[in-house]
Amino acid sequence: MASLMHAAYPEETWKEVAKRTLCRESQVSTLLSIFGERQHLSFPSIFIYGHTGTGKTYILQTVLRTLELPCAFINCVECFTPRLLFEQILNHLHDHQPAPENEFSSKDRCDTFNDFVRLYNRGTSELGLEETFYIVLDKAELLREMEANLLPGFLRLQELTESNVTVIFLTEIVWETFRPNTGCFEPLTLYFPDYSKVELQRILSSEYPQEYSAEFYASYINILLGVFYAVCRDIKELRHLAALNFPKFCEPVIKGEAKETDSHKLWKNIEPHLKRAMQTVYLREISSSQWERIQQEDRETSQLKGLSAHAHVELPYYSKFLLIAAYLASYNPARTDKRFFLKHHGKIKKTDFLKKHEKTSNHLLGPKPFPLDRLLAILYSVVDSRVAPTANIFSQISSLVTLQLLTLVGHDDQLDGPKYKCTVSLDFIRAVARTVNFDIVRYLYDFL
Amino acid sequence: MSHEAHNGTKLFKVQFTPDEEVLEHITDKQGVTPQSNTAAQRIVAVKNIIKNDDLHVDEATPESWREQNYVDVLGVDTEDTLQNGPGTGGGDVYSFYTIKRSNKMAQLATEMARTPAKTVSFSVSDNPEEAVSPPANSKKQTANKTPSKGRKNEFISTTPHRLRKRLSAPSQPSDSESDYSASNSDEELEEKSSAAKTPSKVSQTPGKTPSKKGKKNTASNLVEEYFEAHSSSKVLTSDRTLQRLQTPKLDQETLRKLLDQTPSAFADELHRISKKHEALFYKWMLQLHLGFNIILFGLGSKQSLIEKFRTSLLQDSLHIVINGFFPSITAKSILNSITEEALGHPGAFRSPLDQMDFILQRFKDDPSLELYLLIHNLDSQMLRGEKCQQVLGQLASIPNLHLLASVDHINAPLMWDQSKQSLYNWLWYETTTFGSYIEETSYENSLLVKRSGALALSSLTHVLRSLTPNARGIFRLLAEYQMANKDNPSYTGLSFQDFYQQCREAFLVNSDLTLRAQLTEFRDHKLIRTKKGMDGVEYLLIPLDLGTLTDFLEMEDKDT
């Protein structure tokens, strides 16, 4: 790790940093050379971007902590107003903690960027801060939605405060979408590339449990990556899955059916299990604790119903028909209404009114908006008895909107000719139609 | 009822099922052994209701209410009070239907009519009284039948009609929608349907959709008409415009004067109707105190009725009258009038939520404080919004705040979903007054009436809703600019060149021609005014007062 060597810091710190930042040597060395020595002036702003789980936050945190550089680590999700953002930075600068003694108040009240610059300057001069102060703004994409002067202001903070400060932006989005219309001080952009399979293998197998050998755990990680690498490269997700499924992997070893070196036997044992994990735990169909419990009790994993299997809602009788009518109105072209809902429509074949552009299924294109009177006409047509247009029917329509089974389109006027869309799936509506003995597929244009 | 029986072969028989058979089915299911006597009685009872509906249901009810102890009745069965009548007499007949559905009778009857197992061949009747009584009841309909109808065997032709009548009629009192006009139009519809469909025609249709065989007697006509009318997507535009009439536009005053001159026909009858509604005032008062809120619906203006309620009963109590039809009313102004005038709180509030909390707290702290809120037109353009209804619903749910409101829009119940309805706790009262909407419509835009004065907020939003998003953006820019210059007394407006520049920057127009076309449209709607300045440059100005403009910008913010 000679590349990490730097004159200003002792060698132990180097080793520590190198040990804790696997596979990120070049990035760390770039960062360090940019940072330079403590009292050197660094870049005014650094923009770091990369995919989810490429170690942006972790690397920066480790480097700043181990080198004990003065920094403010701010998450922009938490600071949804500029005031919160400013006060947190100032709190970090003064090492001030909101606590019961000070009634959870900040060090200073700071509402505007102007105040922030003033208070920041006062703070640095009070503390006599000579070295570079780092302000790290994690999830910086949210800064774009705040006030327009915020992002350009932070980019120029060194110039505005005339002090030794570096602002670091961490995000998953490229710099081009950040740039304001009026231009700004361009930051230094740094890219954190994705981990390759080999790197993932190395990082994941570095933290093996004490009871087992490193080779044993590495072979497990190898199998895991073989199954999951095609769908997932997020290191956090993979780590979570590795931790969850490891007890199942070592089960034959504990039982004595296989040795640690019987990799083929172990693979045969774990492989279907991992495939099932991909369909359930990875999609969060069943929770991790449920998965662990299943493993402990040795139950069959497929018998547990996932979250998405509970897509059945009890509705009142007319609400069911309203929903069915809404689905028919959404997915059938209005031209075909006569054919489906009139008795004496004569013989019309599908090909007669098949337009060119309608060869693609309506179900692929999504629901279409329909007016209220078409919904009611279809409702009267599909319900076997006379339906009176009572206040309850109307409020059931509104209730379906509130339940998000329908949506109001347009928001122009709630009473004069409102338009709706049906937002339920075909499976859902088929289940609903089955409960009222209504054959919905016969009424759908797509399935003619 | 004509009837299709599937006898294994493809053969359809038209059979007549007498009424008592249908009822027998119903009672059979319930497990009660029916006697023909009781069945007949029940039929008679049902018939009575129908008669009552055709006349005024309410006519009979006030007396009965007076006779009975109010609290007793309310305590026993509040739903009855809703229906204003003895409509739930046959409770034991229908009681096996656990779900309280408004048209359970109709459903049952159709269901029974469809069960092929128990078809009875046509027989006049073993029950002579039964056979005599129905025609007497349906005399009203048979009288005005077409002669071609009368040619047929009267019994056959009228029975389907009678049964149909019963299918539709009992559902009406439970909907509490039995008023003159509704029942009349229903009758007309039925006349039409029975005229259009001879019994033989019904039996011939083999039913492409077997799932829905026995239905579609009255409603189907409307549905069919709807689909027929909407089947062709061709839109025909007539060139007969109002301009071609060449009648001069009236202004509001002359219109009013002209309308006042026309005498009202049926003045006596209308007076009697309003007297009848006024008899309900004490009942309303009681129900308001029991935690319900009253909503009035029906044809005609209900303003005078509510006003009479106010003058006769609310003189000594704290009350606020809200004119929903007033075009610049907002939820904020309602809340302000409650806090400032009723509760005497002078301060301002940061948000409507704070204000709501304050009002809730005040009413909770002081149980003796009682406030009556009378809202004319709860469904007006300005009050129908989701947020506004939420605020009003929360007000209505305060136990010592009583709300009496009226609605006129045909889709008014769409405003409330289940949660809002539970806040409001409505009792629906049908008060058809046939009064003309003089106050309410005086603010409306009409093509035939000259508009006077400044634009109201509701008409402004109404016009802007029909415009494209870009046009709205253009207008918004102008409005914002005018707001920014509100303190400048020498502000003459935005010059066209500057405005064009601003619109270009906002990507709203691509050439000054488009902007000019847009401005012409605004001018046609009287949304803007142009003025030639000293230097010969055009200046654009919105002829609105500041308050309306602020409200408008706030509403636009909410929408986006």
Side-chain angles (χ1 to χ4, degrees):
Chain A
M1 295 297 123
S3 62
L4 291 185
M5 289 296 277
H6 208 288
Y9 302 98
E11 204 181 327
E12 301 88 72
T13 341
W14 289 129
K15 292 215 170 116
E16 181 72 17
V17 169
K19 205 178 88 191
R20 293 174 64 180
T21 57
L22 285 174
C23 313
R24 279 281 176 255
E25 288 85 10
S26 72
Q27 279 78 29
V28 172
S29 72
T30 319
L31 274 180
L32 286 175
S33 48
I34 291 168
F35 289 173
E37 283 179 39
R38 282 171 184 263
Q39 55 277 24
H40 285 176
L41 268 180
S42 169
F43 267 92
S45 47
I46 305 167
F47 183 88
I48 299 175
Y49 70 104
H51 264 175
T52 323
T54 45
K56 300 177 293 289
T57 311
Y58 174 74
I59 299 290
L60 218 62
Q61 229 161 6
T62 325
V63 169
L64 290 173
R65 294 270 153 80
T66 25
L67 301 187
E68 287 168 344
L69 298 168
C71 68
F73 220 95
I74 311 290
N75 193 334
C76 294
V77 179
E78 293 168 19
C79 308
F80 50 90
T81 64
R83 189 184 156 188
L84 287 170
L85 187 68
F86 298 146
E87 290 183 357
Q88 268 212 33
I89 296 173
L90 291 174
N91 284 348
H92 276 284
L93 178 69
H94 292 277
D95 211 5
H96 171 94
Q97 292 288 334
E101 297 89 68
N102 52 32
E103 291 173 326
F104 297 101
S105 62
S106 306
K107 172 85 175 142
D108 294 294
R109 190 194 158 87
C110 177
D111 277 314
T112 60
F113 202 84
N114 194 14
D115 284 345
F116 170 69
V117 171
R118 194 170 48 78
L119 288 169
Y120 180 83
N121 272 342
R122 206 178 68 191
T124 45
S125 60
E126 267 174 25
L127 295 168
L129 196 70
E130 285 297 317
E131 44 197 285
T132 316
F133 187 74
Y134 295 93
I135 299 174
V136 185
L137 299 172
D138 203 355
K139 306 259 187 309
E141 60 268 14
L142 289 153
L143 283 179
R144 299 177 300 174
E145 283 142 37
M146 284 196 232
E147 284 168 28
N149 68 346
L150 216 55
L151 186 65
F154 274 117
L155 286 165
R156 272 181 190 277
L157 198 61
Q158 201 174 73
E159 186 183 323
L160 291 169
T161 58
E162 294 176 334
S163 63
N164 192 355
V165 62
T166 295
V167 185
I168 302 170
F169 301 91
L170 300 182
T171 181
E172 293 173 12
I173 298 173
V174 292
W175 164 247
E176 277 66 32
T177 57
F178 277 74
R179 196 175 284 135
N181 291 332
T182 45
C184 61
F185 186 84
E186 293 286 315
L188 177 78
T189 52
L190 266 185
Y191 179 56
F192 273 44
D194 290 350
Y195 292 114
S196 67
K197 196 171 177 180
V198 180
E199 285 168 337
L200 281 175
Q201 165 96 35
R202 196 175 139 211
I203 296 167
L204 286 175
S205 38
S206 68
E207 41 193 29
Y208 56 89
Q210 297 300 314
E211 306 91 76
Y212 299 96
S213 67
E215 293 78 44
F216 178 67
Y217 194 73
S219 70
Y220 166 64
I221 293 297
N222 200 14
I223 294 168
L224 188 91
L225 281 178
V227 175
F228 281 102
Y229 188 70
V231 292
C232 174
R233 281 151 206 215
D234 186 348
I235 191 158
K236 281 184 224 154
E237 200 72 41
L238 288 169
R239 248 167 86 182
H240 177 65
L241 286 166
L244 266 187
N245 294 308
F246 190 60
K248 183 83 182 172
F249 183 71
C250 11
E251 213 175 61
V253 181
I254 293 167
K255 281 184 185 161
E257 290 164 3
K259 279 185 285 195
E260 286 196 12
T261 47
D262 281 345
S263 53
H264 186 70
K265 207 166 193 178
L266 290 170
W267 178 78
K268 269 230 147 146
N269 176 46
I270 194 72
E271 210 255 342
H273 187 75
L274 289 178
K275 287 255 166 77
R276 248 192 328 270
M278 198 193 306
Q279 288 153 11
T280 51
V281 193
Y282 180 57
L283 299 175
R284 304 288 189 273
E285 282 276 310
I286 60 177
S287 70
S288 305
S289 58
Q290 267 176 318
W291 183 255
E292 279 178 334
R293 217 176 313 132
I294 288 167
Q295 284 183 352
Q296 276 164 17
E297 291 163 15
D298 247 352
R299 267 188 294 153
E300 194 53 36
T301 44
S302 55
Q303 61 190 254
L304 202 73
K305 269 214 258 174
L307 272 182
S308 63
H310 295 286
H312 176 69
V313 181
E314 268 313 318
L315 286 174
Y317 181 75
Y318 279 136
S319 288
K320 281 178 184 169
F321 270 111
L322 276 169
L323 201 59
I324 288 169
Y327 192 85
L328 291 174
S330 263
Y331 287 100
N332 279 355
R335 294 176 298 110
T336 61
D337 279 354
K338 252 174 97 178
R339 187 224 174 283
F340 285 116
F341 304 113
L342 285 192
K343 248 187 206 166
H344 319 293
H345 56 77
K347 283 218 166 155
I348 311 169
K349 278 183 197 157
K350 188 184 183 183
T351 47
D352 289 350
F353 47 37
L354 188 73
K355 279 190 185 164
K356 238 180 203 165
H357 60 90
E358 273 174 8
K359 277 185 185 144
T360 46
S361 139
N362 284 312
H363 277 83
L364 287 178
L365 297 171
K368 303 226 170 23
F370 55 86
L372 175 71
D373 42 0
R374 188 163 165 237
L375 172 72
L376 290 177
I378 296 178
L379 173 79
Y380 298 148
S381 168
V382 294
V383 180
D384 275 341
S385 57
R386 193 191 128 88
V387 189
T390 59
N392 276 329
I393 294 279
F394 279 94
S395 78
Q396 282 187 29
I397 297 174
S398 302
S399 300
L400 286 174
V401 173
T402 317
L403 292 172
Q404 300 185 339
L405 296 169
L406 302 182
T407 48
L408 194 62
V409 186
H411 300 289
D412 268 358
D413 200 325
Q414 288 97 331
L415 297 191
D416 295 328
K419 288 194 160 186
Y420 298 96
K421 258 187 192 181
C422 187
T423 52
V424 300
S425 65
L426 181 62
D427 290 332
F428 183 92
I429 205 73
R430 273 165 96 168
V432 169
R434 213 174 299 125
T435 58
V436 290
N437 285 326
F438 182 80
D439 187 6
I440 191 154
V441 178
R442 288 179 44 143
Y443 285 86
L444 279 170
Y445 178 66
D446 283 342
F447 300 99
L448 224 58
Chain B
M1 186 91 192
S2 52
H3 209 309
E4 298 118 58
H6 230 332
N7 293 346
T9 58
K10 288 260 179 202
L11 199 128
F12 291 93
K13 247 189 216 166
V14 183
Q15 280 171 324
F16 168 65
T17 317
D19 293 334
E20 68 269 29
E21 279 297 324
V22 175
L23 268 169
E24 239 173 61
H25 277 289
I26 301 168
T27 40
D28 257 346
K29 263 202 174 172
Q30 196 194 5
V32 179
T33 48
Q35 291 178 348
S36 60
N37 266 357
T38 56
Q41 273 173 6
R42 272 178 199 135
I43 288 168
V44 171
V46 172
K47 288 278 150 66
N48 279 341
I49 300 163
I50 297 165
K51 265 199 155 176
N52 274 350
D53 289 333
D54 290 344
L55 305 173
H56 258 283
V57 180
D58 301 18
E59 217 155 49
T61 43
E63 278 78 31
S64 65
W65 287 121
R66 231 168 268 151
E67 282 160 21
Q68 285 163 315
N69 190 351
Y70 280 151
V71 187
D72 186 27
V73 174
L74 286 165
V76 169
D77 188 355
T78 41
E79 279 202 359
D80 269 14
T81 65
L82 269 175
Q83 295 162 8
N84 299 359
T88 49
D92 56 334
V93 182
Y94 321 117
S95 61
F96 62 89
Y97 245 88
T98 47
I99 312 157
K100 281 217 163 181
R101 221 172 282 145
S102 54
N103 61 344
K104 50 196 169 186
M105 171 74 166
Q107 271 197 353
L108 265 180
T110 45
E111 207 180 303
M112 291 310 121
R114 267 189 295 139
T115 48
K118 266 216 167 185
T119 47
V120 179
S121 60
F122 178 78
S123 64
V124 176
S125 185
D126 338 9
N127 211 346
E129 321 118 65
E130 231 298 279
V132 174
S133 61
N137 274 330
S138 57
K139 202 175 264 173
K140 209 171 129 201
Q141 283 100 43
T142 50
N144 53 10
K145 278 236 167 82
T146 52
S148 63
K149 274 251 117 164
R151 199 160 33 105
K152 286 188 190 118
N153 182 352
E154 197 190 296
F155 199 77
I156 291 176
S157 63
T158 52
T159 331
H161 187 83
R162 243 184 325 116
L163 192 58
R164 210 179 301 134
K165 181 77 194 149
R166 186 154 351 125
L167 290 184
S168 57
S171 67
Q172 283 177 347
S174 54
D175 306 337
S176 61
E177 276 183 1
S178 54
D179 52 292
Y180 261 132
S181 57
S183 58
N184 278 349
S185 61
D186 261 6
E187 263 166 44
E188 276 166 24
L189 278 178
E190 280 156 28
E191 292 296 326
K192 243 195 264 170
S193 71
S194 62
K197 264 195 259 172
T198 55
S200 62
K201 200 178 168 193
V202 173
S203 65
Q204 271 165 6
T205 54
K208 259 226 155 113
T209 50
S211 65
K212 31 175 193 155
K213 236 187 301 179
K215 52 141 204 169
K216 289 196 177 177
N217 23 40
T218 55
S220 69
N221 236 20
L222 269 177
V223 172
E224 280 178 23
E225 269 172 34
Y226 174 84
F227 287 129
E228 287 292 346
H230 289 256
S231 60
S232 68
S233 55
K234 226 188 292 173
V235 180
L236 293 171
T237 321
S238 165
D239 60 344
R240 287 188 201 168
T241 55
L242 283 168
Q243 263 83 29
R244 280 179 57 175
L245 280 175
Q246 292 185 333
T247 40
K249 278 189 177 180
L250 300 166
D251 55 21
Q252 194 76 42
E253 268 79 86
T254 38
L255 176 79
R256 184 82 178 263
K257 222 187 292 167
L258 284 174
L259 285 177
D260 277 346
Q261 283 166 7
T262 52
S264 150
F266 309 110
D268 272 358
E269 286 87 341
L270 293 184
H271 186 68
R272 243 183 292 143
I273 288 179
S274 66
K275 273 274 165 290
K276 195 196 65 201
H277 293 320
E278 282 158 33
L280 292 167
F281 280 175
Y282 286 103
K283 192 169 144 196
W284 291 354
M285 203 60 185
L286 174 69
Q287 286 168 343
L288 284 175
H289 279 269
L290 288 176
F292 297 99
N293 292 309
I294 308 281
I295 191 152
L296 308 178
F297 69 98
L299 196 70
S301 169
K302 285 149 295 266
Q303 200 201 6
S304 57
L305 187 70
I306 294 178
E307 186 58 23
K308 219 168 267 172
F309 178 73
R310 188 183 75 84
T311 47
S312 58
L313 288 182
L314 299 182
Q315 278 309 340
D316 307 326
S317 41
L318 194 59
H319 61 265
I320 292 178
V321 179
I322 293 156
N323 291 326
F325 51 80
F326 187 64
S328 297
I329 198 160
T330 54
K332 203 176 152 200
S333 57
I334 295 174
L335 288 176
N336 278 345
S337 63
I338 292 175
T339 51
E340 281 164 23
E341 272 135 59
L343 304 178
H345 180 83
F349 293 90
R350 268 201 298 174
S351 69
L353 279 178
D354 283 354
Q355 207 161 359
M356 272 310 298
D357 286 342
F358 172 78
I359 293 170
L360 284 171
Q361 198 56 46
R362 271 297 286 273
F363 276 97
K364 204 192 267 173
D365 288 347
D366 187 3
S368 65
L369 188 67
E370 273 200 279
L371 177 66
Y372 293 86
L373 214 56
L374 305 177
I375 305 181
H376 302 291
N377 293 66
L378 186 61
D379 55 349
S380 69
Q381 191 72 250
M382 300 306 298
L383 296 183
R384 62 175 63 157
E386 186 94 357
K387 279 189 188 135
C388 197
Q389 288 297 324
Q390 189 67 40
V391 164
L392 288 173
Q394 268 169 4
L395 283 179
S397 63
I398 300 172
N400 36 2
L401 194 148
H402 311 299
L403 173 66
L404 184 130
S406 65
V407 288
D408 288 297
H409 198 283
I410 188 163
N411 291 340
L414 269 184
M415 286 193 291
W416 307 302
D417 57 6
Q418 301 290 341
S419 64
K420 285 209 195 67
Q421 274 197 335
S422 64
L423 282 178
Y424 276 113
N425 211 6
W426 288 127
L427 286 181
W428 290 76
Y429 273 90
E430 191 262 311
T431 53
T432 301
T433 61
F434 298 106
S436 50
Y437 292 99
I438 296 167
E439 277 283 312
E440 289 93 326
T441 54
S442 61
Y443 299 101
E444 295 276 320
N445 285 325
S446 170
L447 289 172
L448 292 170
V449 178
K450 233 187 281 176
R451 210 172 28 225
S452 54
L455 220 57
L457 183 53
S458 66
S459 49
L460 178 65
T461 46
H462 189 78
V463 169
L464 278 178
R465 263 184 194 146
S466 59
L467 297 176
T468 59
N470 264 4
R472 254 181 283 177
I474 292 171
F475 188 76
R476 212 192 137 92
L477 268 185
L478 192 60
E480 272 166 1
Y481 189 79
Q482 187 155 336
M483 281 303 292
N485 285 295
K486 63 182 174 186
D487 297 328
N488 183 5
S490 60
Y491 170 70
T492 50
L494 184 59
S495 76
F496 180 78
Q497 273 309 320
D498 292 349
F499 192 36
Y500 176 56
Q501 203 61 41
Q502 286 191 20
C503 290
R504 284 283 298 227
E505 278 164 19
F507 290 107
L508 291 169
V509 293
N510 55 3
S511 72
D512 62 340
L513 278 180
T514 16
L515 182 60
R516 283 221 187 266
Q518 199 57 63
L519 290 181
T520 317
E521 193 169 341
F522 287 158
R523 212 170 297 136
D524 290 347
H525 288 296
K526 299 211 172 78
L527 289 179
I528 60 163
R529 230 175 30 207
T530 45
K531 237 189 332 193
K532 274 263 158 67
M534 299 279 274
D535 43 357
V537 182
E538 269 187 294
Y539 287 103
L540 307 166
L541 205 65
I542 302 175
L544 276 180
D545 56 305
L546 269 179
T548 320
L549 208 57
T550 329
D551 284 346
F552 162 72
L553 285 174
E554 267 173 31
M555 274 185 64
E556 282 282 293
D557 282 335
K558 254 186 242 165
D559 286 352
T560 50

